[in-house]
Amino acid sequence: MKEKSKGLGDTISKITKATGIKKVVEKFTPEGKDCGCDKRQEKLNEVFPYQKPECLTEDEFNYLYDYFTKGANSITGDVQKKMVEINNRVFKEKVQYTTCGSCFFNNVHKKLEKVYNQYL
């Protein structure tokens, strides 16, 4: 099953793979060097996303305000569950609770922080 493109970077990646451009780039990239494709893909997805988030409700904003202004060094399970719930509604996703701190930070925390900052 093909994964839905999150943004322009994913679409370009699919095109370069389908046309063989990616293999050519990899062939001419010196061994051990990174061609930078993954970073460009991420950046393009960030700058040109396909999915527009829903607006935060007043309760969600207040929750995120309290969370981001506290500057906590650790995140409890209850906080993570609430943030996943907000993330799933705002981004129309089905992200699940995880014990992986970096997964949570990269897939939920950063996105909610970006949305929250749009209200400031």
Side-chain angles (χ1 to χ4, degrees), residues 87-103:
N87 177 84
N88 287 346
R89 191 197 67 76
V90 169
F91 293 102
K92 299 177 203 105
E93 294 180 335
K94 294 181 181 176
V95 175
Q96 295 186 359
Y97 173 83
T98 178
T99 57
C100 172
S102 63
C103 295

Side-chain angles (χ1 to χ4, degrees), residues 17-59:
K17 286 177 186 170
T19 59
I21 293 170
K22 183 156 178 74
K23 286 190 182 220
V24 172
V25 169
E26 289 171 350
K27 184 174 182 165
F28 288 101
T29 301
E31 193 168 324
K33 293 260 185 172
D34 181 10
C35 66
C37 292
D38 292 339
K39 287 182 182 178
R40 273 191 296 281
Q41 180 179 347
E42 286 178 31
K43 187 66 176 175
L44 285 168
N45 282 344
E46 182 182 316
V47 175
F48 301 105
Y50 290 152
Q51 182 181 20
K52 293 188 178 192
E54 295 287 326
C55 293
L56 294 172
T57 66
E58 186 175 351
D59 287 341

Side-chain angles (χ1 to χ4, degrees), residues 52-92:
K52 293 188 178 192
E54 295 287 326
C55 293
L56 294 172
T57 66
E58 186 175 351
D59 287 341
E60 290 168 342
F61 174 81
N62 290 334
Y63 186 87
L64 293 175
Y65 174 83
D66 289 343
Y67 171 77
F68 287 118
T69 56
K70 281 182 187 173
N73 291 334
S74 63
I75 300 171
T76 66
D78 289 340
V79 169
Q80 187 186 130
K81 286 177 186 173
K82 179 65 176 176
M83 290 183 71
V84 165
E85 178 185 310
I86 294 170
N87 177 84
N88 287 346
R89 191 197 67 76
V90 169
F91 293 102
K92 299 177 203 105

